[in-house]
Amino acid sequence: MIDAQLPLQAAIVAAVKADAGLGALIGDRIYDSVPKNSAGQVSATFPYVSFGPMQSVPSDDECHDGVEVFVQIDAWSRAVGTVEGRQIVAGLTRLLDAALTVTGFEVVTFEVQSARTGREADGLTSRGIVQ
């Protein structure tokens, strides 16, 4: 199986950073590993986006080596209410529901399967999840 996770992640990062709407909300704050301070607490400026789990599943046939990649992208906000978090999720959904160019791969289908938002247990943080 060929693995497209890293090229897909690079394509997503490039698309997010190039999008004016998301740029207005999160700037260039999209992380593979969210910055933390020496106490292990998040030190990133809110709002930001981070990569969650990724999964690759072989999708081969006799003539082609194929792979399906499932990715979770998390949006984090500490703005009052949930509007900002929902705006980020809407931007990610719009962006990721269109075909991206993934270096070294021919993308056959690109689709968002789900998008949800909610409040974290700390009562301060909103989290959006796009899959």
Side-chain angles (χ1 to χ4, degrees):
M1 172 180 78
I2 54 173
D3 194 358
Q5 288 185 13
L6 288 175
L8 175 60
Q9 182 170 323
I12 291 170
V13 168
V16 168
K17 287 184 175 183
D19 187 86
L22 283 170
L25 291 165
I26 64 167
D28 64 352
R29 295 182 303 275
I30 178 168
Y31 302 111
D32 177 56
S33 179
V34 179
K36 295 187 176 171
N37 62 23
S38 59
Q41 299 167 323
V42 170
S43 62
T45 300
F46 285 84
Y48 65 88
V49 170
S50 63
F51 282 88
M54 293 180 99
Q55 177 184 11
S56 297
V57 178
S59 181
D60 301 335
D61 60 31
E62 291 180 15
C63 301
H64 304 93
D65 288 331
V67 62
E68 287 185 86
V69 180
F70 300 89
V71 61
Q72 175 178 310
I73 301 176
D74 300 312
W76 303 90
S77 171
R78 287 224 172 126
V80 175
T82 58
V83 172
E84 183 177 72
R86 289 190 173 125
Q87 289 172 330
I88 297 168
V89 165
L92 289 169
T93 300
R94 174 187 45 76
L95 186 70
L96 298 175
D97 217 18
L100 296 178
T101 300
V102 180
T103 302
F105 293 86
E106 179 183 345
V107 178
V108 176
T109 304
F110 225 97
E111 66 182 340
V112 172
Q113 292 183 335
S114 69
R116 63 183 186 268
T117 57
R119 181 74 66 191
E120 291 293 284
D122 66 5
L124 302 171
T125 310
S126 294
R127 179 181 183 191
I129 300 171
V130 178
Q131 296 179 312

